[in-house]
Amino acid sequence: MVLMHESTLEFIDSHRSADDLTLARDLVRYAGSLALEMRAAGVSTDFKTSISDVVTDADHAAEDFVANALAELRPTDGIVGEEGSAVASRSGRVWVVDPVDGTYNFASGSDYFCSALALIEGDTSNPDELILSAVNRPAFDTTWLGTPKGSTKNGIALPPLHEAGLAQVSLASYLHPRSMKDDGIREAWLRAANGAATIRMFGAGSIDLATVASGGVGGWIQHSVADWDWLPGKILIEGVGGVGEKVDAGGTTWSVAGNKQVVAEITAALQSG
């Protein structure tokens, strides 16, 4: 039996009649604020694969909250969480959860982190249907919501993305120093990034992608992206008429997002090697 904090029980009781989008919005807002409060009180940090690949007790607490709430409120749905939550789906639907995206930023005191989730139908690596997503940047109390019919920022509908070429826009990306030593990855990245007006590396994919959906960044590219780092932002971008695609190049798989023209140009550049 899982013991839950009283506030989690209160959240569950107040959301028993909530629709999926309302539930998603409030889950990421609660998880994000929980992480922010825990950081203010002091968190412990462990390392995964490198000094920049970290996890904190706030990651675990935020994911536990989301998983416990979903187990009660959507008991037939599946759950896949970055920190290990795994529940098989009986409905065909799966909640993909990233409790703290940008954990290195979070642990370093930066405000560039978020809580994110997506709800999909089918296999998370190749969904049959993208249902909705939610991203909350707690330091600014900013929440993006996305569905195939449209995306919003703090409840205000986002306009469709304007078509523009790579040379006219900024490109958000991430390339770990280890990857720079791989000739195939490095050269593929250089082919794609070379044509951008400017490059930005922020360190939290879901905020990057939400910012693309909001028009603040023109495009996004990263290789070997986990489902929880990809699906929330992909849904936001496709909700405003953009594109999120996966492209094989340089011996790995790249996730590329933005307006249709940018994605087409990046894809062509990746595959030109």
Side-chain angles (χ1 to χ4, degrees), residues 187-213:
E187 294 305 317
W189 187 89
L190 287 171
R191 289 195 301 274
N194 186 53
T198 187
I199 306 295
R200 296 291 182 262
M201 289 193 184
F202 303 109
S206 286
I207 304 182
D208 293 352
L209 290 163
T211 305
V212 173

Side-chain angles (χ1 to χ4, degrees), residues 10 14 23 26 29 77-78 87 97 101 125 135 174 182 184 193 238:
E10 291 172 349
S14 67
L23 177 59
D26 293 348
R29 290 190 69 187
D77 291 352
V87 176
V97 181
D101 179 31
S125 63
V135 176
Y174 179 74
D182 184 304
E238 294 190 354

Side-chain angles (χ1 to χ4, degrees), residues 96-115:
V96 185
V97 181
D98 193 346
V100 179
D101 179 31
T103 302
Y104 185 79
N105 292 348
F106 172 79
S108 301
S110 168
D111 59 36
Y112 204 85
F113 71 93
C114 67
S115 291

Side-chain angles (χ1 to χ4, degrees), residues 73-92:
L73 297 170
R74 299 293 188 271
T76 64
D77 291 352
I79 303 172
V80 175
E82 180 180 12
E83 306 311 330
S85 295
V87 176
S89 177
R90 289 177 282 137
S91 66

Side-chain angles (χ1 to χ4, degrees), residues 2-9 11-12 26-46 48 54-70 79 81-85 97-101 103 106 113-116:
V2 178
L3 298 178
M4 290 179 284
H5 191 277
E6 182 180 3
S7 59
T8 305
L9 295 173
F11 180 97
I12 290 169
D26 293 348
L27 283 170
V28 293
R29 290 190 69 187
Y30 188 111
S33 63
L34 174 62
L36 195 62
E37 290 172 6
M38 289 184 67
R39 185 175 72 174
V43 294
S44 62
T45 302
D46 292 320
K48 293 181 178 179
V54 298
V55 61
T56 72
D57 49 3
D59 293 75
H60 292 295
E63 182 162 306
D64 287 347
F65 158 73
V66 174
N68 287 333
L70 288 172
I79 303 172
E82 180 180 12
E83 306 311 330
S85 295
V97 181
D98 193 346
V100 179
D101 179 31
T103 302
F106 172 79
F113 71 93
C114 67
S115 291

Side-chain angles (χ1 to χ4, degrees), residues 151-166:
S151 299
T152 65
K153 179 181 179 181
N154 289 339
I156 299 173
L158 294 173
L161 292 182
H162 295 293
E163 294 300 321
L166 186 58

Side-chain angles (χ1 to χ4, degrees), residues 166-187:
L166 186 58
Q168 283 74 51
V169 301
S170 57
L171 181 67
S173 186
Y174 179 74
L175 193 64
H176 193 279
R178 287 199 309 266
S179 297
M180 296 179 188
K181 300 176 183 178
D182 184 304
D183 292 343
I185 292 175
R186 184 184 65 253
E187 294 305 317

